[in-house]
Amino acid sequence: MANVTEQDVISFLKERITKLQNELKKAQSALDVFTGSSIDEAEERMTEELVRPAKAGRASKASKSNSAKALVAPEEYSSNLKLDGKIAYILANNGPLFNTDIIAKLQEMEPEKDPEKLLKAVMVKLSSLHKAGRIQGAKQGRKFKYQL
């Protein structure tokens, strides 16, 4: 039997909260389409309180903010794009990928980039995008598979 640490449980619960919040947003959007209205701020705050972690602590940015902008993929790749745009382009055109796959695709498109710096930059950026709720990440083993 595998040893499950407290950190594993915390990570799992944070991911679950993020997924449930995304589902709530989708359900609210569908409801808005059918009713032609949206819930007022008081009801939004009440919903946010229900899905906020019970223990006060370091909550992810996605749970702190309902206005996390979805990452939009550019139509064409350019070396002038910000790293967010490059990652979005790769995910949009290749589907769900592990961080190593994303780095490999970036190296193919920009072979002149320093691989070590690219690795560090992409790892940090993927983590921040995932925590902010701008991309989705599903844990598979010890790695995350990211998608838009």
Side-chain angles (χ1 to χ4, degrees):
M1 186 168 171
N3 290 333
V4 177
T5 65
E6 184 176 344
Q7 190 60 38
D8 292 335
V9 173
I10 291 169
S11 296
F12 170 79
L13 291 173
K14 285 182 178 181
E15 288 176 31
R16 186 72 179 131
I17 287 168
T18 301
K19 288 179 183 177
L20 290 171
Q21 286 175 332
N22 288 336
E23 288 296 318
L24 282 172
K25 287 177 188 177
K26 290 177 187 175
Q28 183 61 49
S29 295
L31 182 61
D32 291 347
V33 168
F34 285 109
T35 62
S37 64
S38 64
I39 60 173
D40 60 30
E41 287 184 34
E43 287 176 319
E44 257 181 58
R45 283 193 299 271
M46 193 166 42
T47 303
E48 185 178 331
E49 290 296 324
L50 290 173
V51 295
R52 182 173 289 152
K55 182 177 178 183
R58 188 174 165 174
S60 70
K61 290 181 184 176
S63 67
K64 288 182 181 178
S65 166
N66 282 341
S67 61
K69 265 184 8 186
L71 195 59
V72 178
E75 292 183 22
E76 292 183 18
Y77 185 87
S78 167
S79 61
N80 296 330
L81 289 170
K82 290 184 177 181
L83 189 53
D84 292 12
K86 293 176 182 180
I87 290 171
Y89 178 84
I90 289 170
L91 290 175
N93 291 300
N94 296 286
L97 295 171
F98 291 108
N99 55 8
T100 51
D101 300 326
I102 294 169
I103 293 165
K105 297 277 185 194
L106 278 170
Q107 285 177 327
E108 285 176 22
M109 295 176 156
E110 297 184 43
E112 70 280 359
K113 295 280 186 180
D114 179 12
E116 194 63 31
K117 286 183 181 179
L118 186 64
L119 173 98
K120 289 177 183 177
V122 171
M123 296 297 285
V124 169
K125 185 54 74 175
L126 285 171
S127 177
S128 68
L129 290 171
H130 182 244
K131 284 181 182 177
R134 298 191 66 202
I135 61 173
Q136 297 173 359
K139 194 164 189 174
Q140 293 186 355
R142 302 177 93 193
K143 297 172 108 181
F144 278 91
K145 199 166 207 177
Y146 296 101
Q147 66 182 12
L148 292 179

